[in-house]
Amino acid sequence: MKLEEMIRLGLYYIDFETPEAPITMNLLIDIRDFLLLKDSKWYKEKFQAAYNYDMGETRSATDDYYSTDGITYFVNEDMNITSCRLHDSAITCDFKPYLQDLSSFTKKRRKGEYTHEYINEIDHFFTYCINRYLAGKDGFYARESGIRAIYKAILA
């Protein structure tokens, strides 16, 4: 399945308010804001297997587990995030408007660079798909158990 189709299906599945929004990094931020409004009961009902994985109930010591998204976010002198470099890519994307809330970001070693802390495996899933889509890649090839559980639930 093409990544654009997977992203759209995922947006419909989670009842996102604008499932036809342009696929940009701003959409990913909007998805993250949406997820912050959802409680663990909603997460568990929508994605039982991913929820169990996220809570450590089904995650084994050999499972790949990521806490940050691998995207490098750049800030200006006012500490607003202005752009980012996609994971495993030289592609840079701008934010319009600038992002002002750094509460879910972690400062990296280099000045003015941050990375994002995942909210949960749903965030991980959409980050993976949107990052790959914007990098011009296609297809869902993730090996991580948590986001594969999201993928399976959306396709069910």
Side-chain angles (χ1 to χ4, degrees):
M1 173 174 285
K2 292 187 181 277
L3 284 170
E4 181 175 5
E5 294 174 80
M6 178 53 55
I7 294 165
R8 300 286 179 217
L9 277 175
L11 292 173
Y12 281 107
Y13 189 83
I14 64 171
D15 299 319
F16 189 72
E17 57 267 4
T18 53
E20 296 300 325
I23 299 173
T24 64
M25 286 303 292
N26 281 80
L27 174 62
L28 180 58
I29 299 305
D30 291 343
I31 292 167
R32 289 173 175 168
D33 288 344
F34 174 82
L35 292 174
L36 288 172
L37 299 175
K38 301 300 181 186
D39 61 13
S40 60
K41 180 181 176 197
W42 174 87
Y43 182 17
K44 190 174 183 177
E45 287 174 359
K46 284 282 187 187
F47 300 104
Q48 177 75 54
Y51 176 84
N52 291 344
Y53 176 84
D54 235 355
M55 296 298 113
E57 295 173 18
T58 58
R59 188 172 60 234
S60 72
T62 59
D63 280 334
D64 289 334
Y65 184 77
Y66 300 97
S67 61
T68 62
D69 65 7
I71 297 170
T72 301
Y73 298 86
F74 303 102
V75 299
N76 62 15
E77 61 279 348
D78 296 324
M79 296 305 291
N80 297 324
I81 297 175
T82 59
S83 62
C84 67
R85 184 178 54 248
L86 299 177
H87 179 64
D88 284 342
S89 172
I91 296 171
T92 302
C93 299
D94 292 331
F95 287 97
K96 294 189 180 26
Y98 297 153
L99 301 177
Q100 298 175 344
D101 181 9
L102 292 174
S103 61
S104 60
F105 292 82
T106 301
K107 189 168 181 22
K108 293 176 79 173
R109 289 186 180 179
R110 284 184 251 202
K111 184 178 179 180
E113 293 185 5
Y114 289 78
T115 191
H116 183 269
E117 300 286 329
Y118 284 128
I119 297 166
N120 54 31
E121 286 299 298
I122 306 168
D123 180 1
H124 189 179
F125 169 82
F126 280 107
T127 301
Y128 171 86
C129 291
I130 290 173
N131 184 89
R132 284 184 56 82
Y133 175 81
L134 293 175
K137 299 176 182 176
D138 204 21
F140 186 89
Y141 301 107
R143 295 181 310 266
E144 299 91 344
S145 300
I147 62 174
R148 289 205 63 75
I150 303 276
Y151 174 82
K152 290 175 185 175
I154 290 169
L155 291 181

